[in-house]
Amino acid sequence: MKLAKIIPLVILIGGLCSCSPSDGPTSSSVATSISQDPNLKSEIYVSPNGLATNQGTKESPLDIINAFKNLKQGGKIILLEGTYSLSSTVQVTRDDERLKGCLATSEEEMKLVEPEKDSQGNYVDVTLDFSRMAWASTNRGVSLDSDYWHIKGFKVVGAGDNGVYIGGNYNIVEDIEAYDNRDTGIQLGRSASNMNDISEWPSYNTILNCTSHDNHDPTGEDSDGFACKLTTGVGNVFDGCIAYNNVDDGWDLYTKGDSGPIGSVLIKDCIAFNNGITSYGVGTSNSDGNGFKLGGETIAVQHKIINSIAFNNMASGFTDNSNPGTLYFENCTAFNNGTRDSDGLNFSTCRDTATTINFYKNCLSYSTGDVTNPITGQVHIANSKDEYKGTVSHSAFYNSLSNLYIGEIQEADYSVSNLRGENMEVSNPFVSVDVLQIQSLKDQPIDESKRVDVHHEFRNSDGSINIGDFLKVKSDSPFYTLGENNSPLGANLSK
């Protein structure tokens, strides 16, 4: 492929997910003439023991389910400290809000839900505990089937299905820790089964600085950390999120033939590790164990992944999962994936060599030392055999215990000897490879004394990820200056 044919591809990919609200769904922005329910409030306090008959003040807090249903546009729900033991879904729908006259139609009318702040300005500890629910697809924890909600700063635990489900548009889910749910921790999808067109599916939602871990269902094939799959629209973004030790995948962007392609997704500044088995040692033969699963059923969708890391996942770090659409990878690091699968790949992004044309820029794949199979306990060499094809600029892949480096932008193909890249012998390029949390073995839960509070210990005060020296390229490594404009290869989440 000549350079003249590469440039238009770069321009196309660079424009992915550059969406604005004016491009989005318009159904929610139609003004309503319905009178507002007189019970609606602009500020509502709730508590674990709040009652539906209370006033919603701090002295007389409401229950959380009714608070969500009775908030005015632009209003705020304040969660008082404690564990909310719940057996019903906390849900809002567009239809209910239209009837009450409180459907938000713009960013200025965004509804905020957050914990109370203490005297130092920090959120008090709030947990929504749905563990009394049975395992069932209808038993979600928090369900946002409406628009312009901003929920932040609390835990969602033990739901019978998804911890948080987003079916609406322009919602922000921030600083949420979702775990022990019996389907995906945080998932996007249509709010009703009769919504069959992509224009009706959730769009322009942002999942910001969230952590999703240890979600597991009995089958082992449904519970991911994050999912934007099957029936999702355009403009959805994951920013600063961490998925680890989920029983299936870290991220799942699966598509199906009967519903067709989903909208392009942007993932940036994110980490996926240890997926395929929980930290309690729970896993099944159905558990996939990918870090970032980026498609399905040979349906073409263009996704964009920037400054993100996949390591120690049981299967692949980044996989197209048969997606023939153009995937864009920039400043991504893949390290020691395939802990279960001895032939597991850091980059498995070329399922169909005839149609695949991806773009890779400043990416770094590396494997070093031994890894332990979390199912059998056997130790094997970490030896990724990366599969990549398309346009590559300043990236290093891994194959047969060696690195293959490609410098200036060019056509690349792992299956063609003269298009694989230049062979390089490079020792461990990282300042630190000590993992954030030890990998559990099947039926052997993690030693609690060694557990790390990933959601809090590896974030800055603003919620952004900071993993220090872990997988940071050494200043004396060749990879430190092999990126574009002499920059380091791979992701930088040490800020």
Side-chain angles (χ1 to χ4, degrees), residues 277-278 280-282 372-377 439-445:
I277 190 169
T278 72
Y280 314 116
V282 175
T372 301
N373 184 320
I375 304 299
T376 66
Q439 175 72 56
S440 299
L441 299 180
K442 185 169 175 58
D443 301 324
Q444 296 182 33

Side-chain angles (χ1 to χ4, degrees), residues 180-475:
D180 287 347
N181 299 291
R182 282 158 282 177
D183 205 313
T184 296
I186 299 177
Q187 180 167 333
L188 291 80
R190 63 186 176 188
S191 56
S193 60
N194 63 351
M195 293 180 172
N196 297 314
D197 190 86
I198 192 170
S199 64
E200 301 176 289
W201 299 346
S203 298
Y204 303 101
N205 297 286
T206 299
I207 315 303
L208 177 64
N209 298 340
C210 293
T211 302
S212 187
H213 63 96
D214 289 296
N215 297 292
H216 55 92
D217 60 285
T219 69
E221 62 181 348
D222 289 328
S223 297
D224 308 299
F226 301 94
C228 187
K229 61 183 182 180
L230 303 177
T231 52
T232 55
V234 299
N236 295 306
V237 176
F238 294 88
D239 184 355
C241 295
I242 303 174
Y244 70 94
N245 280 113
N246 297 286
V247 79
D248 201 32
D249 300 307
W251 265 263
D252 191 350
L253 309 187
Y254 195 80
T255 50
K256 288 187 70 174
D258 57 356
S259 51
I262 63 174
S264 299
V265 177
L266 171 61
I267 298 172
K268 62 178 182 177
D269 301 340
C270 291
I271 302 177
F273 70 98
N274 286 10
N275 292 291
I277 190 169
T278 72
S279 64
Y280 314 116
V282 175
T284 77
S285 59
N286 295 321
S287 301
D288 286 347
N290 297 295
F292 297 88
K293 181 192 287 181
L294 305 173
E297 297 194 12
T298 63
I299 297 173
V301 184
Q302 297 178 331
H303 298 305
K304 192 172 186 178
I305 304 92
I306 298 176
N307 199 46
S308 294
I309 296 174
F311 72 93
N312 276 33
N313 295 288
M314 290 211 306
S316 297
F318 299 90
T319 176
D320 60 14
N321 201 46
S322 82
N323 178 3
T326 301
L327 301 175
Y328 179 94
F329 300 92
E330 180 177 338
N331 287 100
C332 290
T333 297
F335 174 69
N336 276 9
N337 293 286
T339 56
R340 175 196 60 203
D341 303 340
S342 58
D343 59 348
L345 311 179
N346 283 333
F347 282 90
S348 174
T349 53
C350 197
R351 290 276 188 102
D352 187 344
T353 56
T355 61
T356 295
I357 302 178
N358 296 320
F359 184 83
Y360 311 81
K361 176 182 176 181
N362 287 6
C363 292
L364 173 57
S365 170
Y366 194 83
S367 296
T368 182
D370 299 326
V371 294
T372 301
N373 184 320
I375 304 299
T376 66
Q378 294 180 335
V379 177
H380 62 89
I381 296 174
N383 177 24
S384 181
K385 298 179 179 62
D386 292 335
E387 296 179 354
Y388 49 95
K389 182 184 177 186
T391 305
V392 177
S393 171
H394 300 88
S395 295
F397 298 98
Y398 202 82
N399 191 284
S400 299
L401 303 179
S402 296
N403 279 100
L404 296 165
Y405 175 71
I406 297 172
E408 294 300 324
I409 187 168
Q410 66 183 68
E411 178 185 5
D413 188 334
Y414 82 98
S415 65
V416 179
S417 58
N418 65 340
L419 296 178
R420 291 176 185 166
E422 177 186 353
N423 191 68
M424 294 184 64
E425 298 302 325
V426 180
S427 60
N428 173 26
F430 302 115
V431 177
S432 172
V433 294
D434 294 333
V435 296
L436 303 184
Q437 181 187 28
I438 64 171
Q439 175 72 56
S440 299
L441 299 180
K442 185 169 175 58
D443 301 324
Q444 296 182 33
I446 189 174
D447 181 344
E448 291 298 329
S449 66
K450 298 179 179 179
R451 184 183 291 278
V452 176
D453 183 359
V454 172
H455 183 60
H456 295 99
E457 291 192 27
F458 295 95
R459 294 186 182 276
N460 297 308
S461 58
D462 64 357
S464 59
I465 296 174
N466 187 340
I467 54 175
D469 288 337
F470 179 65
L471 298 186
K472 183 178 181 179
V473 177
K474 299 175 184 176
S475 60

Side-chain angles (χ1 to χ4, degrees), residues 91-110:
Q91 183 176 29
V92 289
T93 70
R94 290 190 193 95
D95 288 345
D96 286 346
E97 291 193 313
R98 284 194 187 99
L99 288 173
K100 285 180 169 284
C102 62
L103 178 65
T105 60
S106 67
E107 186 176 353
E108 290 71 24
E109 295 180 339
M110 181 79 75

